[in-house]
């Protein structure tokens, strides 16, 4: 079986650590990025199967990263889950129209994340 990969993009080291533990428990190999610029650089070398993406980050926010990812060669392949505190329906709609596959509200737990990853066919 092929190894599934996940890139966790969040400026919070704690969120990355918690997310990593959950996703590794689901059998993914995990890498991390602290902002959208780091994440784009990573994706230009190795396109992950799944991206867990924070919205509000310094340097490059999640929405900008997502639009650039989707425009990049192979950037349509990863399943992207926005993991954020943004709860306004218009913000959720904006993320989905920019190319997010699903939306997860922070804080989330293993059960919620597993469910969302299942919905998009990543697990």
């Amino acid at each position: 079986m092929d190894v599934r990969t996940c890139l966790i993009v969040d400026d919070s080291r704690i969120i990355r650590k918690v997310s990593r533990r959950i996703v590794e428990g689901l059998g993914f190999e995990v890498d991390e990025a602290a902002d959208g610029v780091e994440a784009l650089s990573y994706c230009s070398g190795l396109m992950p199967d799944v991206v867990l993406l924070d919205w509000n980050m310094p340097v490059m926010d999640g929405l900008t990263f997502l639009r650039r990812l989707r425009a990049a060669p192979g950037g349509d392949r990863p399943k992207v889950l926005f993991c954020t505190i943004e709860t306004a329906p218009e913000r959720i709609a904006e993320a989905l129209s920019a190319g997010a596959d699903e939306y997860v509200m922070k804080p989330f737990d293993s059960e919620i994340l597993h469910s969302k990853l299942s919905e998009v066919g990543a697990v």
Side-chain angles (χ1 to χ4, degrees):
M1 186 173 142
D2 290 334
V3 175
R4 296 173 299 169
T5 57
C6 178
L7 179 63
I8 299 169
V9 187
D10 200 301
D11 58 323
S12 166
R13 182 176 289 136
I14 293 167
I15 295 293
R16 291 195 313 265
K17 184 178 179 178
V18 170
S19 300
R20 173 184 280 274
R21 191 170 299 133
I22 292 170
V23 176
E24 284 179 340
L26 297 173
F28 285 85
E29 271 191 17
V30 177
D31 279 300
E32 301 177 12
D35 61 59
V37 170
E38 278 184 32
L40 274 178
S41 176
Y42 176 92
C43 291
S44 70
L46 175 67
M47 195 62 75
D49 297 307
V50 173
V51 177
L52 300 185
L53 181 61
D54 184 26
W55 192 306
N56 299 304
M57 296 178 290
V59 187
M60 181 189 293
D61 68 13
L63 196 61
T64 303
F65 163 79
L66 179 58
R67 288 182 174 133
R68 292 185 183 173
L69 172 72
R70 292 304 194 208
D76 57 335
R77 191 174 64 83
K79 298 295 184 184
V80 177
L81 276 67
F82 248 112
C83 302
T84 183
I85 59 171
E86 297 282 348
T87 59
E90 60 273 9
R91 297 292 271 176
I92 296 170
E94 185 178 11
L96 295 173
S97 70
D101 293 287
E102 191 51 79
Y103 204 89
V104 183
M105 301 295 178
K106 289 181 183 176
F108 53 84
D109 60 17
S110 179
E111 188 176 315
I112 292 168
L113 200 51
H114 183 261
S115 171
K116 294 291 187 175
L117 288 167
S118 292
E119 285 178 32
V120 299
V123 292

